[in-house]
Amino acid sequence: MNQYPPIAEHGMVGDLQTAALVSSGGTVDWWCTPRFDSPSLFASLLDSERGGHCRLAVELPDDGMSVRQLYLSDTAILVTRFMAPGGVGEVADFMPPVESPVATDRHTLIRLIRVVRGSLPFAFDCRPRFDYGRAPHTLNLSGDHRAVLRGPGTDLHVQTSGDIALNADGDDVTARFTLSAGQIAAVVLTSTADGAAAPRPPSLDEMIGQLEHCRAFWLTWLRSCTYRGRWQDMVNRSAITLKLLTYAPTGAPVAAATMGLPEQVGGERNWDYRYTWVRDASLSVRALIDLGFKDEAYAFRRWLRDRIEAGGAASGDPLQIMYRVDGDPLLTEEILDHLEGYQGSRPVRAGNAAADQLQLDIYGEAADALIVGRDIGAIRGWKALSGVLDWLCDHWDRPDEGIWETRGGRQNFTYSRLMTWVAFDRGIRAAIYSSRPADTESWTRARDAVFRQIVERGWDDKRQAFVQHFDTDVLDASLLLMPRVGFVSAHDPDWLSTLDAMDDELVSDSLVYRYDPAASPDGLRGSEGTFNLCSFFYVEALARSGRLAKARYAFDKMLTYANHVGLFAEEIGPSGEQLGNFPQAFTHLALVTAAMALDEELGRAGTDPREADHLGHLHVTAQGLVARPGSRS
């Protein structure tokens, strides 16, 4: 089997239409262009031999050399620093933001090299493999500093500064060069449509200016952030990550930058996350709204309204669960048999067959994103939403595949019912407050019927907990959102007993599993790690329930699982490794909401003496850390 870096050993750069992953060793081993959901140019994460990569690194034996990777503070500029006995050098990777809202086929990845001490030899190898490694390419080398590698529908232009002379290696390009202290050089990769004009040869001054412009862009964008809490750096990094994962021409966030990265190494739970889920996108945008980023909210509202007006799913429902970033509903799933998968994790899937699933919870998340506080948006948006709620009155009481997209058959999932309740609740409130035309009488009847069904059929008397669906006693971490959406008070005895049951069954040293696949078969083989989204939802639920010592401990522990540049994948494996697609928007939006909730509750406890015991102390038992005797935390 080929060699693969750990999933977590990467940073992400992007230009708001596409993104690339750069390993801590200086290799671009994931880049799809011109969009997030386009076929790959570099995909060595899924096959280190056939996937393609672009390596730029100091070429010295590993002995005696150390490598560090970091982001320039509050930016999406990624710096990989090489420290060796003979010198210190670094590569700054960044993509100039495409600030126009118009989609483009031209995207640029700049790799700026600098030596600050001594003298260091560098190696550059550019070996693209077009169309997920399925298509051949040709090389046209023009002098020492310009090359174009032509694949089907896409050209990759490689340009270098004067110190880096390119050489052909079959149909690929390489270079070997040495820089001394004070010297700067650049490699520029530009993807264009087939046959498009080549980019103008770059000068070093222009590349340095591009870096400064990129830095200013991100610092200016972050000025809109209203968060001033205890975890500013992590919240800023999560906000930048969510922005990087948003396709600017439509305002549609993708679930992750990658596809096929496994939830269990060697297993079959390998999905394509480069699309826009109504649920994930709604929650991502809501997190950005709560941080003060209003433009993202307006753009996503337009995208979501357009999806509703376009007619929704082939089934006749108003929405399907996911779309391509341009709104195209066709996401045919195919198996890429020629790729071995990350560390042999087959099959590698492109596209996502779950697009045809029924997941009724999306209407609640969509309503919560469309109606922000008392702001219901434009008239067209209200018309679209009210039409959906009229439809939902007649269609909410159905089994579906649920939030986790199980492939083991439809069930009456409690979370799906919960979010249909949210859809009706938000719509009723907005209609009354804003005096909008609406069939609030029908919406109210439906809302109340959903409520009664959840408390009567979603509650298990024996377990004293809300459960995954109406025909099981299995617990489900998605229900950690019950207090947040306002269905139940965070201090309600029924909720606290549910939280206690989850503590006993789903929580492992502050990390949270989604559910128990052995007890509730999901139609797939193998297991998975703890789910980062759920671990951060758990922090929020603990904080809102007044268990602040436990909440803060769980949050601090979760932050230790971030990678070296503050990014999270989907899951944490049994040895603390990151698993699943990377970086994942779900995780970063949940980090934001957990930080905000914990800040708010810690602030409240710190100013109210009656709440002081919530801060409590923790002590160690054989089962882990628990609150001190006498504490309510």
Side-chain angles (χ1 to χ4, degrees):
M1 186 183 301
N2 301 322
Q3 297 299 309
Y4 294 87
I7 292 171
E9 284 298 313
H10 293 86
M12 177 174 66
V13 296
D15 65 3
L16 310 181
Q17 294 192 18
T18 183
L21 297 188
V22 184
S23 77
S24 59
T27 299
V28 180
D29 51 21
W30 184 257
W31 187 21
C32 298
T33 185
R35 306 188 323 196
F36 295 106
D37 54 1
S38 298
S40 61
L41 279 180
F42 303 124
S44 57
L45 263 182
L46 298 179
D47 194 308
S48 60
E49 292 296 322
R50 291 179 286 270
H53 68 271
C54 177
R55 176 174 175 263
L56 179 56
V58 170
E59 192 170 47
L60 287 172
D62 290 339
D63 293 346
M65 183 173 72
S66 61
V67 183
R68 297 288 184 271
Q69 196 173 55
L70 67 150
Y71 278 113
L72 293 188
S73 182
D74 290 341
T75 76
I77 299 169
L78 188 68
V79 177
T80 307
R81 184 166 292 162
F82 301 89
M83 292 168 283
V88 176
E90 61 188 27
V91 176
D93 286 296
F94 66 98
M95 297 181 73
V98 180
E99 298 181 56
S100 167
V102 178
T104 178
D105 289 329
R106 186 175 294 261
H107 300 275
T108 300
L109 171 58
I110 297 174
R111 315 200 70 184
L112 202 60
I113 312 113
R114 181 172 73 113
V115 170
V116 297
R117 186 176 303 147
S119 181
L120 292 172
F122 286 84
F124 170 71
D125 298 287
C126 184
R127 305 183 185 277
R129 298 294 180 263
F130 292 78
D131 190 25
Y132 305 116
R134 293 182 294 196
H137 65 273
T138 61
L139 171 66
N140 182 8
L141 193 61
S142 302
D144 289 339
H145 305 294
R146 299 179 67 181
V148 57
L149 300 96
R150 302 186 187 278
T154 302
D155 291 346
L156 179 64
H157 299 267
V158 181
Q159 298 173 305
T160 65
S161 65
D163 296 308
I164 305 175
L166 295 173
N167 300 293
D169 184 5
D171 289 324
D172 302 323
V173 289
T174 66
R176 298 294 182 269
F177 58 97
T178 298
L179 297 180
S180 299
Q183 288 187 296
I184 301 175
V187 173
V188 182
L189 308 179
T190 305
S191 67
T192 68
D194 184 19
R200 188 166 53 84
S203 71
L204 277 177
D205 286 343
E206 287 174 328
M207 295 303 98
I208 293 169
Q210 288 270 31
L211 184 143
E212 289 304 318
H213 178 79
C214 182
R215 180 173 177 271
F217 171 88
W218 287 107
L219 294 177
T220 300
W221 181 76
L222 270 179
R223 287 176 191 161
S224 297
C225 184
T226 57
Y227 178 81
R228 297 293 183 270
R230 296 166 175 81
W231 296 280
Q232 188 77 55
D233 288 345
M234 289 301 295
V235 168
N236 284 357
R237 179 54 50 203
S238 290
I240 290 172
T241 302
L242 293 174
K243 179 69 170 175
L244 281 171
L245 292 173
T246 300
Y247 185 64
T250 63
V254 297
T258 59
M259 56 178 262
L261 295 182
E263 297 175 20
Q264 179 187 31
V265 173
E268 67 171 336
R269 298 167 185 258
N270 319 313
W271 313 112
D272 191 345
Y273 277 11
R274 300 169 301 147
Y275 306 114
T276 300
W277 272 254
V278 171
R279 173 193 311 109
D280 301 41
S282 297
L283 292 172
S284 294
V285 170
R286 187 55 197 259
L288 289 173
I289 292 169
D290 291 342
L291 291 174
F293 298 105
K294 305 301 184 186
D295 289 346
E296 287 69 21
Y298 300 143
F300 179 69
R301 278 175 165 173
R302 289 191 296 271
W303 181 89
L304 191 55
R305 182 201 67 205
D306 290 346
R307 303 288 71 71
I308 296 171
E309 292 180 344
S315 64
D317 296 350
L319 289 170
Q320 70 179 37
I321 68 168
M322 72 178 88
Y323 300 83
R324 292 188 179 275
V325 292
D326 62 355
D328 187 342
L330 299 177
L331 287 87
T332 304
E333 184 173 296
E334 62 176 322
I335 304 298
L336 303 181
D337 286 326
H338 64 289
L339 298 179
E340 76 165 8
Y342 179 83
Q343 292 190 19
S345 301
R346 284 191 169 106
V348 175
R349 298 177 176 92
N352 201 309
D356 295 331
Q357 288 190 357
L358 175 67
Q359 297 175 20
L360 291 168
D361 69 281
I362 64 174
Y363 297 102
E365 286 109 0
D368 205 37
L370 287 168
I371 302 169
V372 181
R374 293 175 173 175
D375 179 6
I376 63 172
I379 292 174
R380 279 182 61 191
W382 175 254
K383 288 175 64 178
L385 177 61
S386 61
V388 168
L389 294 180
D390 290 340
W391 172 89
L392 194 59
C393 283
D394 298 322
H395 294 87
W396 65 266
D397 195 7
R398 292 185 290 167
D400 67 356
E401 276 88 3
I403 180 177
W404 306 131
E405 296 175 2
T406 58
R407 301 192 178 191
R410 294 181 176 181
Q411 299 288 349
N412 291 298
F413 285 101
T414 305
Y415 180 79
S416 296
R417 294 294 192 274
L418 171 70
M419 296 311 292
T420 58
W421 178 90
V422 169
F424 291 125
D425 176 75
R426 302 306 190 262
I428 293 165
R429 291 170 183 264
I432 293 172
Y433 177 79
S434 300
S435 300
R436 289 289 191 260
D439 187 1
T440 53
E441 185 176 339
S442 295
W443 297 358
T444 301
R445 283 197 303 269
R447 180 201 63 187
D448 294 347
V450 176
F451 183 91
R452 286 190 293 269
Q453 194 178 91
I454 292 172
V455 298
E456 291 168 6
R457 301 183 61 191
W459 173 262
D460 186 279
D461 281 327
K462 183 177 179 181
R463 303 214 61 180
Q464 288 292 290
F466 290 101
V467 291
Q468 185 179 64
H469 61 77
F470 296 168
D471 297 315
T472 188
D473 64 356
V474 172
L475 302 176
D476 192 310
S478 63
L479 298 179
L480 287 164
L481 285 180
M482 293 182 91
R484 186 211 279 189
V485 300
F487 184 86
V488 64
S489 163
H491 298 277
D492 187 294
D494 288 349
W495 168 247
L496 293 177
S497 64
T498 299
L499 188 55
D500 289 339
M502 290 185 186
D503 265 333
D504 292 339
E505 185 170 303
L506 298 181
V507 180
S508 174
D509 195 25
S510 300
L511 302 176
V512 183
Y513 291 94
R514 296 189 291 180
Y515 56 91
D516 181 0
S520 180
D522 55 15
L524 297 166
R525 297 188 302 272
S527 62
E528 60 183 24
T530 56
F531 210 69
N532 294 330
L533 169 80
C534 299
S535 297
F536 283 121
F537 281 172
Y538 175 63
V539 170
E540 183 179 356
L542 288 172
R544 297 302 189 194
S545 299
R547 303 177 178 185
L548 285 178
K550 199 169 186 178
R552 185 157 191 176
Y553 172 76
F555 189 68
D556 287 342
K557 173 159 281 192
M558 270 303 297
L559 295 185
T560 69
Y561 290 102
N563 80 344
H564 57 289
V565 291
L567 301 182
F568 284 92
E570 186 176 17
E571 300 181 5
I572 301 297
S575 301
E577 73 275 19
Q578 295 208 34
L579 294 172
N581 285 302
F582 177 91
Q584 199 205 32
F586 241 173
T587 303
H588 286 277
L589 72 89
L591 184 156
V592 169
T593 58
M596 295 180 75
L598 192 50
D599 266 315
E600 183 179 332
E601 296 300 330
L602 287 170
R604 182 178 293 120
T607 58
D608 186 345
R610 294 171 298 177
E611 302 292 324
D613 64 333
H614 288 212
L615 297 174
H617 296 289
L618 297 171
H619 68 275
V620 180
T621 70
Q623 290 73 40
L625 291 177
V626 299
R628 62 172 171 79
S631 170
R632 288 183 288 164
S633 58

